[in-house]
Amino acid sequence: MSDVSHQNDVLEPPSCKKTKIDRQNENGGSVDHLELKDFIAEKILKNNTNSKTVCIQGKFRDKSGVALVLLEKNAFREEELNETGYFCPDTVLQTYFQNDIYGNYVCFPKSSVNSVKTTIIYPATEKHIVKFSQQEVHIVLETPELYNKLTLPHIEKEHFNLQWVYNILEGKTEQDRIVHNNKCEKEGFVLLPDLKWDGITKETLYLLAIVRQRGLKSLRDLNASHLPLLKRIRDEGKKKILEKYNLPDSQLRIYFHYQPSFYHLHIHFTYLRHEAPGIYVEKAHLLSTVINNIEMMSDYYQKASLPFTIRQMDNIFNVYETNGYIQKVEPNIGNTELIDK
Ligand code: G7M
């Protein structure tokens, strides 16, 4: 990524208000400040040693309600390695072993390059706890009939909370993070860093395009009348990412999730080299393929059988299980990473 170091002006880390967090609640009102020193950990919901992420359930001192703290070790930033270096005179190197030409150590680089991306969800609902817990996963093939009979009624019944989406679209939150804002009500969209991206580390670039039009839940709702919207997101999204991050479209992965976790149409833009969560074949649908399929057949996504993954603790699992399409299995203890204190 050293070829793009001239873009550093847009990649400076945000100013350090690290543990005090200003937040807005679902009604747009201001809610109290959170201090990480007041967080009392109670349970580790998930500990992924590959992605170096952990989700801790707990509470804040003197506050009611469950809190989730998600920690993720940040990726190395090549600009930093190139320009300022990771090490300072105080860097301590502790030896594990030294054998011939091989040395194994642990070191503690300077704190500015040793940061941990932190997400706090407070107050967290039961759905959040389920979402961030380690659990068994299954795959189902959703025919159009199953979509109409089981999935759609489930989506309508669950009333997934879209407040964070509306906050962004209505200009209430994350406005300083917006990369592109097309205000057309019908074919407009907002492009901004995904919650999972720090907005800085290019190696893990992850943006989200959220459509302005309401009522489009997922891929399943798309037909030829949406092609101008999809093409606009594709073209303007690529252009903005090239301008701001100097990444050509040939290095972008642009895709939908099916099922998504939020039923308001959105599209993911990630750096091709970054193995973001949810890029696997059972979940990701490239925007280019979606456009192509719809161009060939306007109602492709109303006719196609679409596979999707389903986790045992998700409510939709019960729907498919009760109707005999899937069977619960006992968690495979050998693989589970759930650790209760
Ligand atoms: O799986 P699905 O396609 O529904 O993905 C939704 C995406 O929205 C995920 O990649 C989340 O990280 C992202 N996301 C979720 N929330 C609650 C927020 C948020 O408040 N702000 C931003 N920028 N992204 C979010």
Side-chain angles (χ1 to χ4, degrees), residues 20-81:
K20 199 166 180 183
I21 298 140
D22 268 328
R23 304 162 74 247
Q24 206 170 40
N25 70 13
E26 288 172 2
N27 304 318
S30 191
V31 296
D32 43 13
H33 297 295
L34 299 175
E35 300 272 353
L36 271 183
K37 66 178 170 45
D38 293 331
F39 180 71
I40 302 163
E42 291 176 337
K43 187 176 181 183
I44 296 179
L45 291 183
K46 186 153 63 170
N47 180 11
N48 188 323
T49 51
N50 285 331
S51 61
K52 310 277 192 295
T53 54
V54 67
C55 178
I56 310 163
Q57 180 181 329
K59 59 184 182 201
F60 282 97
R61 205 181 310 281
D62 302 328
K63 293 193 194 300
S64 59
V66 176
L68 298 184
V69 174
L70 285 74
L71 304 176
E72 177 178 358
K73 298 233 178 188
N74 280 327
F76 293 102
R77 292 173 57 206
E78 291 181 19
E79 304 94 276
E80 230 148 20
L81 281 167

XYZ file of all heavy atoms in Angstrom, residues 20-81:
494
model
N -14.249 7.820 26.628
C -15.478 8.527 26.931
C -16.294 8.621 25.647
O -15.810 9.104 24.637
C -15.122 9.926 27.450
C -16.255 10.553 28.190
C -15.768 11.752 28.980
C -16.903 12.366 29.725
N -16.522 13.547 30.449
N -17.499 8.131 25.704
C -18.227 7.973 24.447
C -19.540 8.736 24.468
O -20.378 8.522 25.330
C -18.461 6.469 24.189
C -17.088 5.787 24.056
C -19.272 6.250 22.942
C -17.028 4.478 24.703
N -19.713 9.662 23.506
C -20.962 10.397 23.335
C -21.881 9.564 22.483
O -21.512 9.133 21.414
C -20.694 11.688 22.554
C -20.423 12.828 23.477
O -20.992 12.837 24.579
O -19.634 13.704 23.081
N -23.084 9.371 22.912
C -23.940 8.491 22.150
C -25.330 9.083 21.981
O -25.734 9.981 22.689
C -24.025 7.127 22.826
C -22.661 6.533 23.017
C -22.633 5.439 24.019
N -23.233 4.229 23.487
C -24.350 3.727 23.937
N -25.005 4.303 24.896
N -24.830 2.625 23.424
N -26.075 8.507 20.996
C -27.426 8.948 20.727
C -28.339 7.739 20.788
O -27.993 6.675 20.282
C -27.476 9.554 19.326
C -28.573 10.558 19.196
C -28.448 11.310 17.890
O -28.136 10.732 16.878
N -28.750 12.583 17.923
N -29.484 7.877 21.443
C -30.342 6.701 21.552
C -31.290 6.590 20.363
O -31.214 7.375 19.423
C -31.094 6.707 22.889
C -32.144 7.792 22.956
O -32.487 8.385 21.941
N -32.636 8.057 24.142
N -32.182 5.606 20.430
C -33.034 5.336 19.278
C -33.995 6.466 18.959
O -34.530 6.548 17.875
C -33.813 4.045 19.522
C -32.878 2.864 19.432
C -33.530 1.582 19.839
O -34.728 1.608 20.157
O -32.837 0.560 19.826
N -34.255 7.340 19.926
C -35.156 8.467 19.664
C -34.375 9.702 19.240
O -34.915 10.778 19.119
C -35.969 8.796 20.917
C -36.731 7.580 21.387
O -37.279 6.865 20.568
N -36.734 7.344 22.687
N -33.076 9.524 19.025
C -32.268 10.651 18.585
C -31.793 11.499 19.743
O -31.066 12.466 19.569
N -32.171 11.148 20.977
C -31.759 11.925 22.140
C -30.361 11.539 22.569
O -29.845 10.499 22.196
N -29.781 12.412 23.395
C -28.435 12.132 23.849
C -28.500 11.188 25.046
O -29.357 11.329 25.906
C -27.784 13.444 24.231
O -26.439 13.225 24.426
N -27.639 10.210 25.101
C -27.605 9.331 26.265
C -26.279 9.517 26.989
O -25.373 10.157 26.493
C -27.826 7.841 25.902
C -29.192 7.622 25.324
C -26.761 7.361 24.954
N -26.201 8.918 28.182
C -25.062 9.205 29.046
C -23.724 8.690 28.501
O -23.661 7.915 27.582
C -25.328 8.645 30.435
C -25.928 7.260 30.354
O -25.907 6.663 29.255
O -26.411 6.783 31.360
N -22.661 9.197 29.134
C -21.319 8.811 28.698
C -20.932 7.467 29.284
O -21.313 7.135 30.392
C -20.314 9.847 29.186
C -20.555 11.193 28.613
N -20.433 11.456 27.269
C -20.919 12.338 29.209
C -20.724 12.722 27.070
N -21.030 13.275 28.221
N -20.156 6.741 28.533
C -19.680 5.451 29.029
C -18.172 5.533 29.217
O -17.470 6.126 28.391
C -20.009 4.352 28.022
C -21.491 4.139 27.710
C -21.661 3.103 26.609
C -22.252 3.709 28.957
N -17.706 4.952 30.282
C -16.267 4.906 30.539
C -15.871 3.432 30.600
O -16.445 2.667 31.362
C -15.942 5.553 31.891
C -16.348 7.013 32.015
C -15.270 7.960 31.519
O -14.168 7.491 31.197
O -15.551 9.173 31.455
N -14.871 3.056 29.813
C -14.500 1.632 29.801
C -13.985 1.152 31.151
O -14.096 -0.021 31.485
C -13.453 1.372 28.721
C -14.016 1.021 27.343
C -12.900 0.714 26.369
C -14.972 -0.171 27.413
N -13.453 2.069 31.941
C -12.966 1.632 33.259
C -14.128 1.178 34.143
O -13.931 0.460 35.119
C -12.153 2.730 33.948
C -12.941 3.968 34.325
C -12.032 4.956 35.031
C -12.645 6.312 35.239
N -14.000 6.385 35.729
N -15.357 1.573 33.794
C -16.527 1.155 34.573
C -17.136 -0.151 34.068
O -18.161 -0.593 34.572
C -17.616 2.251 34.506
C -17.164 3.504 35.209
O -16.357 3.380 36.151
O -17.605 4.595 34.814
N -16.552 -0.702 33.026
C -17.120 -1.940 32.467
C -16.723 -3.144 33.324
O -15.540 -3.345 33.626
C -16.640 -2.136 31.025
C -17.179 -3.378 30.378
C -18.520 -3.465 30.016
C -16.359 -4.469 30.138
C -19.030 -4.618 29.423
C -16.852 -5.614 29.539
C -18.193 -5.691 29.189
N -17.723 -3.927 33.700
C -17.454 -5.134 34.492
C -17.756 -6.343 33.608
O -18.914 -6.580 33.230
C -18.351 -5.172 35.750
C -18.102 -3.910 36.579
C -18.093 -6.435 36.571
C -19.182 -3.632 37.604
N -16.717 -7.075 33.244
C -16.895 -8.230 32.357
C -17.538 -9.384 33.114
O -17.191 -9.652 34.267
C -15.537 -8.653 31.804
N -18.497 -10.045 32.458
C -19.160 -11.177 33.118
C -18.978 -12.477 32.358
O -18.921 -13.530 32.946
C -20.664 -10.870 33.267
C -20.903 -9.761 34.269
C -22.357 -9.355 34.367
O -23.112 -9.588 33.411
O -22.722 -8.786 35.410
N -18.890 -12.375 31.044
C -18.897 -13.610 30.260
C -18.248 -13.339 28.897
O -18.500 -12.289 28.299
C -20.355 -14.000 30.056
C -20.607 -15.322 29.429
C -22.120 -15.549 29.418
C -22.472 -16.870 28.836
N -23.926 -17.052 28.759
N -17.471 -14.283 28.412
C -16.938 -14.150 27.059
C -17.887 -14.876 26.112
O -18.061 -16.097 26.215
C -15.514 -14.712 26.967
C -14.603 -13.870 27.867
C -15.012 -14.694 25.532
C -13.177 -14.292 27.910
N -18.518 -14.126 25.221
C -19.484 -14.746 24.317
C -18.789 -15.436 23.157
O -19.239 -16.455 22.664
C -20.446 -13.691 23.760
C -21.434 -13.057 24.733
C -22.347 -12.111 23.996
C -22.262 -14.126 25.440
N -17.714 -14.803 22.687
C -17.029 -15.367 21.519
C -15.579 -14.922 21.564
O -15.293 -13.768 21.867
C -17.701 -14.858 20.244
C -17.153 -15.507 19.007
C -18.132 -15.567 17.853
C -18.595 -14.249 17.312
N -19.337 -14.397 16.067
N -14.695 -15.862 21.247
C -13.275 -15.518 21.215
C -12.701 -16.161 19.975
O -12.515 -17.369 19.930
C -12.594 -16.042 22.491
C -11.120 -15.710 22.508
O -10.636 -14.920 21.691
N -10.390 -16.306 23.435
N -12.488 -15.358 18.939
C -12.027 -15.910 17.666
C -10.533 -15.655 17.517
O -10.093 -14.520 17.361
C -12.817 -15.251 16.523
C -12.518 -15.911 15.208
O -11.385 -16.310 14.947
N -13.536 -16.036 14.368
N -9.787 -16.742 17.570
C -8.333 -16.574 17.564
C -7.799 -16.290 16.157
O -6.669 -15.850 16.004
C -7.653 -17.844 18.127
O -8.190 -18.975 17.424
C -7.919 -17.999 19.615
N -8.622 -16.545 15.122
C -8.174 -16.200 13.768
C -8.317 -14.719 13.498
O -7.394 -14.058 13.049
C -8.999 -16.956 12.715
C -8.595 -18.400 12.650
O -7.441 -18.735 12.927
N -9.521 -19.264 12.324
N -9.530 -14.210 13.779
C -9.749 -12.787 13.496
C -9.270 -11.911 14.647
O -9.341 -10.685 14.561
C -11.233 -12.538 13.227
O -11.993 -12.890 14.367
N -8.780 -12.550 15.721
C -8.274 -11.802 16.896
C -9.356 -10.865 17.425
O -9.130 -9.677 17.631
C -7.023 -10.985 16.547
C -5.935 -11.764 15.830
C -5.068 -12.545 16.798
C -3.825 -13.085 16.165
N -4.035 -14.094 15.128
N -10.560 -11.440 17.541
C -11.672 -10.659 18.075
C -12.247 -11.369 19.288
O -12.206 -12.598 19.381
C -12.808 -10.490 17.044
O -13.182 -11.793 16.584
C -12.403 -9.644 15.868
N -12.779 -10.573 20.188
C -13.425 -11.156 21.341
C -14.669 -10.324 21.642
O -14.679 -9.107 21.408
C -12.445 -11.214 22.545
C -12.078 -9.848 23.058
C -12.988 -12.062 23.676
N -15.738 -11.003 22.072
C -16.939 -10.271 22.463
C -17.208 -10.577 23.933
O -17.383 -11.739 24.312
C -18.123 -10.680 21.601
S -19.607 -9.828 22.134
N -17.246 -9.530 24.738
C -17.411 -9.708 26.183
C -18.758 -9.139 26.599
O -19.100 -8.000 26.254
C -16.303 -8.973 26.962
C -14.929 -9.332 26.396
C -16.369 -9.302 28.454
C -13.839 -8.368 26.826
N -19.488 -9.953 27.327
C -20.759 -9.469 27.879
C -20.504 -8.991 29.303
O -19.747 -9.603 30.054
C -21.768 -10.618 27.888
C -23.115 -10.219 28.440
C -24.092 -11.387 28.456
O -24.042 -12.276 27.612
N -24.981 -11.392 29.429
N -21.143 -7.903 29.677
C -20.951 -7.399 31.038
C -21.908 -6.268 31.329
O -22.980 -6.166 30.710
N -21.513 -5.421 32.261
C -22.364 -4.266 32.560
C -21.476 -3.093 32.940
O -20.274 -3.273 33.216
C -23.346 -4.608 33.670
C -22.700 -5.033 34.953
C -23.767 -5.433 35.947
C -23.085 -5.801 37.247
N -23.795 -6.605 38.147
N -22.076 -1.912 32.948
C -21.347 -0.727 33.392
C -21.712 -0.443 34.846
O -22.887 -0.537 35.218
C -21.662 0.476 32.495
C -20.925 0.432 31.195
C -21.526 -0.065 30.047
C -19.605 0.856 31.119
C -20.836 -0.140 28.851
C -18.901 0.790 29.926
C -19.516 0.297 28.792
N -20.694 -0.153 35.629
C -20.894 0.131 37.048
C -22.004 1.158 37.236
O -22.075 2.149 36.500
C -19.584 0.692 37.627
C -19.400 0.494 39.122
C -18.079 1.101 39.573
N -16.925 0.688 38.763
C -16.291 -0.469 38.874
N -16.683 -1.353 39.761
N -15.263 -0.753 38.087
N -22.895 0.901 38.152
C -24.000 1.803 38.500
C -25.008 2.002 37.370
O -25.748 2.980 37.357
C -23.494 3.186 38.960
C -22.567 3.070 40.156
O -22.775 2.142 40.960
O -21.626 3.891 40.261
N -24.965 1.137 36.362
C -25.959 1.244 35.293
C -26.659 -0.099 35.136
O -26.033 -1.143 35.304
C -25.302 1.613 33.963
C -24.724 3.013 33.951
C -24.369 3.429 32.543
C -23.482 4.656 32.526
N -24.096 5.813 33.155
N -27.939 -0.037 34.788
C -28.650 -1.291 34.572
C -28.535 -1.662 33.094
O -28.189 -0.829 32.259
C -30.114 -1.138 34.970
O -30.667 -0.126 34.188
N -28.824 -2.898 32.791
C -28.811 -3.324 31.391
C -27.495 -3.986 31.026
O -26.453 -3.719 31.622
N -27.606 -4.829 30.006
C -26.439 -5.585 29.554
C -25.633 -4.746 28.575
O -26.198 -4.018 27.761
C -26.910 -6.889 28.859
C -25.740 -7.665 28.281
C -27.692 -7.745 29.844
N -24.319 -4.882 28.639
C -23.444 -4.204 27.670
C -22.584 -5.253 26.979
O -22.196 -6.250 27.593
C -22.567 -3.191 28.379
N -22.317 -5.024 25.703
C -21.368 -5.870 24.980
C -20.184 -5.019 24.564
O -20.361 -3.909 24.045
C -22.006 -6.471 23.726
C -23.212 -7.399 23.914
C -23.649 -7.968 22.573
C -22.899 -8.518 24.889
N -18.996 -5.537 24.788
C -17.788 -4.861 24.321
C -17.088 -5.799 23.339
O -16.785 -6.946 23.679
C -16.852 -4.501 25.499
C -15.535 -3.941 24.980
C -17.530 -3.476 26.411
N -16.904 -5.308 22.125
C -16.249 -6.106 21.090
C -14.860 -5.534 20.854
O -14.724 -4.335 20.565
C -17.030 -6.029 19.783
C -18.333 -6.809 19.680
C -19.441 -6.155 20.472
C -18.761 -6.889 18.234
N -13.868 -6.379 20.972
C -12.490 -5.932 20.778
C -11.885 -6.644 19.578
O -12.098 -7.840 19.391
C -11.646 -6.251 22.020
C -12.138 -5.699 23.354
C -11.249 -6.179 24.481
C -12.190 -4.181 23.316
N -11.148 -5.884 18.800
C -10.496 -6.481 17.630
C -9.102 -5.906 17.498
O -8.942 -4.680 17.432
C -11.310 -6.148 16.363
C -10.648 -6.669 15.122
C -11.452 -6.387 13.856
O -12.557 -5.805 13.954
O -10.958 -6.742 12.781
N -8.114 -6.766 17.464
C -6.744 -6.275 17.275
C -6.655 -5.651 15.891
O -7.050 -6.274 14.901
C -5.749 -7.424 17.393
C -5.775 -8.079 18.755
C -4.402 -8.134 19.366
C -4.508 -8.755 20.735
N -3.284 -8.686 21.496
N -6.163 -4.448 15.813
C -6.075 -3.776 14.521
C -4.976 -4.384 13.654
O -3.960 -4.860 14.164
C -5.796 -2.286 14.721
C -7.061 -1.531 15.074
O -8.150 -1.873 14.609
N -6.944 -0.513 15.903
N -5.213 -4.328 12.342
C -4.202 -4.841 11.407
C -2.996 -3.902 11.392
O -3.116 -2.724 11.749
C -4.802 -4.925 10.009
N -1.858 -4.411 10.952
C -0.683 -3.554 10.786
C -0.945 -2.571 9.655
O -1.540 -2.947 8.640
C 0.547 -4.396 10.446
C 0.987 -5.276 11.573
C 0.695 -6.631 11.570
C 1.678 -4.742 12.649
C 1.094 -7.446 12.618
C 2.079 -5.547 13.704
C 1.785 -6.898 13.688
N -0.499 -1.345 9.835
C -0.641 -0.350 8.770
C 0.716 -0.147 8.135
O 1.676 0.230 8.809
C -1.186 0.967 9.331
C -2.625 0.819 9.784
C -3.091 2.063 10.475
N -2.954 3.224 9.625
C -2.813 4.459 10.095
N -2.780 4.679 11.380
N -2.716 5.471 9.264
N 0.765 -0.412 6.821
C 2.066 -0.392 6.165
C 2.707 0.984 6.187
O 3.919 1.101 6.310
C 1.925 -0.917 4.730
C 1.616 -2.405 4.731
C 1.500 -2.996 3.339
O 1.986 -2.381 2.386
O 0.899 -4.081 3.229
N 1.873 2.036 6.088
C 2.448 3.392 6.120
C 3.239 3.592 7.397
O 4.307 4.177 7.404
C 1.376 4.481 6.083
C 0.423 4.436 4.918
C -0.830 3.677 5.291
O -0.765 2.444 5.191
O -1.835 4.283 5.668
N 2.685 3.063 8.490
C 3.317 3.260 9.781
C 4.650 2.511 9.850
O 5.635 3.020 10.361
C 2.384 2.742 10.868
C 2.175 3.719 11.971
C 0.768 3.557 12.538
O 0.155 2.497 12.335
O 0.318 4.484 13.182
N 4.623 1.296 9.302
C 5.863 0.507 9.296
C 6.923 1.220 8.470
O 8.080 1.298 8.852
C 5.597 -0.868 8.682
C 4.934 -1.896 9.584
C 4.463 -3.079 8.764
C 5.907 -2.360 10.656
